[in-house]
Amino acid sequence: MTHSYDESENQGRGPEEPVVVRDRRRVDPQTGQVRPPGPAHAAPEPEAPVEHAGPSLGESIMDDSVAVVSDVEKELSERTADLQRLQAEYANYRKRVERDREAVVIGAKATVVNDLLPLLDDLERADQHGDLTGAFKAVGDKLISGLQRAGLESFGTEGEPFDPSVHEAVQHNTSPDVAGPTVTVVMRRGYRFGDRVLRAALVGVTDHEPGAAPVDPPVGGELPLDGGLDEQQQ
């Protein structure tokens, strides 16, 4: 069966493109020589770099990694501040514990020394009467020196100014020989241990008393005042 050519089939079609056959062989089959590079063998042109467009409207220009680093630095600074505050609180706690421990030790020593004060009074009275001699005196001196090294201090001597915080006045006199309240009699010595007063001193206090003003003798026949005429007549 013979197919008839129908021109209507080619109606509506454009002109057909000619078929082009390109020989891409590097060696010419006829001459056997290498062909020079031509358009068919030219190296492909490098692709142009793709330019990244800027951020669109509403898009953040901050990188996610930068935000993560900022959060880490913030958390690190907060943890560092917490550690510094905890270290300061621990240092204050240690100081408070050491201060309380020292106060307890001083209080215990003061209690023991306070119980020995009557013995010190007996040693002082024996020394005043001349009975503290020989081995008895050596033991007393060692006891007193040991208590002094531990922190015991005595006060209350004749001639020192009267201080009501450490002196207990049980006797009061007046005299023009002192400029102010002065301890003139010590009945019992006082003791302090560190900053703590264990016992006040029993003392007698003498206060200042102004003396009588001297009377000037009469000059040039003048009569003395204040009853001087009556005394002369008598």
Side-chain angles (χ1 to χ4, degrees), residues 35 39 41 53 77 92 110 150 156-157 176 194 211 223 227:
R35 294 175 178 177
H41 302 285
S77 62
N92 293 333
T157 58
L223 297 178

Side-chain angles (χ1 to χ4, degrees), residues 42-48:
E45 296 180 358
E47 298 180 357

Side-chain angles (χ1 to χ4, degrees), residues 1 20 27 29 31 55 73 109 113 132 155 185 191 203 222 231:
M1 183 174 180
V20 179
V27 180
T31 61
E73 291 179 351
K109 291 182 179 180
V113 172
L132 191 63
F155 60 89
V185 179
Y191 291 95
V203 297
E222 294 181 357
E231 294 178 358

Side-chain angles (χ1 to χ4, degrees), residues 159-163 172 178-183 205-208:
E160 66 183 12
F162 174 73
D163 186 358
H172 182 264
V178 296
T182 306
V183 175
V205 181
T206 301
D207 204 351
H208 176 68

Side-chain angles (χ1 to χ4, degrees), residues 17-70:
E17 297 180 357
V19 177
V20 179
V21 178
R22 297 179 179 178
D23 188 1
R24 298 179 179 275
R25 292 176 292 182
R26 298 290 303 277
V27 180
D28 191 350
Q30 295 180 1
T31 61
Q33 296 180 356
V34 179
R35 294 175 178 177
H41 302 285
E45 296 180 358
E47 298 180 357
V50 179
E51 296 181 359
H52 297 281
S56 59
L57 183 62
E59 184 180 357
S60 176
I61 61 175
M62 182 179 292
D63 193 359
D64 294 339
S65 61
V66 177
V68 172
V69 172
S70 300

Side-chain angles (χ1 to χ4, degrees), residues 85-103:
R85 182 167 56 254
L86 182 61
Q87 185 178 4
E89 292 178 356
Y90 179 69
N92 293 333
Y93 169 76
R94 287 187 58 185
K95 292 180 180 179
R96 185 169 60 254
V97 170
E98 292 177 359
R99 185 171 58 251
D100 295 343
R101 183 185 296 112
E102 185 178 358

Side-chain angles (χ1 to χ4, degrees), residues 2-234:
T2 304
H3 179 71
S4 59
Y5 178 75
D6 188 359
E7 294 181 356
S8 62
E9 295 179 359
N10 293 330
Q11 292 179 358
R13 295 181 180 179
E16 297 182 0
E17 297 180 357
V19 177
V20 179
V21 178
R22 297 179 179 178
D23 188 1
R24 298 179 179 275
R25 292 176 292 182
R26 298 290 303 277
V27 180
D28 191 350
Q30 295 180 1
T31 61
Q33 296 180 356
V34 179
R35 294 175 178 177
H41 302 285
E45 296 180 358
E47 298 180 357
V50 179
E51 296 181 359
H52 297 281
S56 59
L57 183 62
E59 184 180 357
S60 176
I61 61 175
M62 182 179 292
D63 193 359
D64 294 339
S65 61
V66 177
V68 172
V69 172
S70 300
D71 294 340
V72 172
E73 291 179 351
K74 181 180 179 180
E75 185 175 0
L76 179 60
S77 62
E78 292 178 354
R79 295 297 179 269
T80 303
D82 293 340
L83 291 176
Q84 292 176 350
R85 182 167 56 254
L86 182 61
Q87 185 178 4
E89 292 178 356
Y90 179 69
N92 293 333
Y93 169 76
R94 287 187 58 185
K95 292 180 180 179
R96 185 169 60 254
V97 170
E98 292 177 359
R99 185 171 58 251
D100 295 343
R101 183 185 296 112
E102 185 178 358
V104 170
V105 172
I106 293 177
K109 291 182 179 180
T111 301
V112 175
V113 172
N114 191 31
D115 294 338
L116 296 176
L117 294 184
L119 178 58
L120 297 180
D121 294 338
D122 295 338
L123 292 175
E124 184 176 4
R125 282 191 293 267
D127 188 19
Q128 292 175 356
H129 290 82
D131 297 334
L132 191 63
T133 58
F136 185 41
K137 177 176 176 56
V139 173
D141 293 341
K142 288 182 180 180
L143 176 61
I144 295 175
S145 61
L147 294 176
Q148 290 177 350
R149 286 195 302 269
L152 182 64
E153 181 183 358
S154 64
F155 60 89
T157 58
E158 296 180 0
E160 66 183 12
F162 174 73
D163 186 358
S165 62
V166 295
H167 296 149
E168 183 179 352
V170 295
Q171 183 179 354
H172 182 264
N173 294 319
T174 58
S175 173
D177 298 334
V178 296
T182 306
V183 175
T184 54
V185 179
V186 179
M187 304 175 184
R188 189 185 66 182
R189 193 177 301 276
Y191 291 95
R192 65 166 59 93
F193 191 84
D195 298 334
R196 182 180 303 182
V197 177
L198 299 181
R199 188 179 70 183
L202 293 179
V203 297
V205 181
T206 301
D207 204 351
H208 176 68
E209 180 183 5
V215 179
D216 295 333
V219 178
E222 294 181 357
L223 297 178
L225 301 177
D226 298 335
L229 181 60
D230 296 337
E231 294 178 358
Q232 290 180 358
Q233 291 178 355
Q234 293 177 357

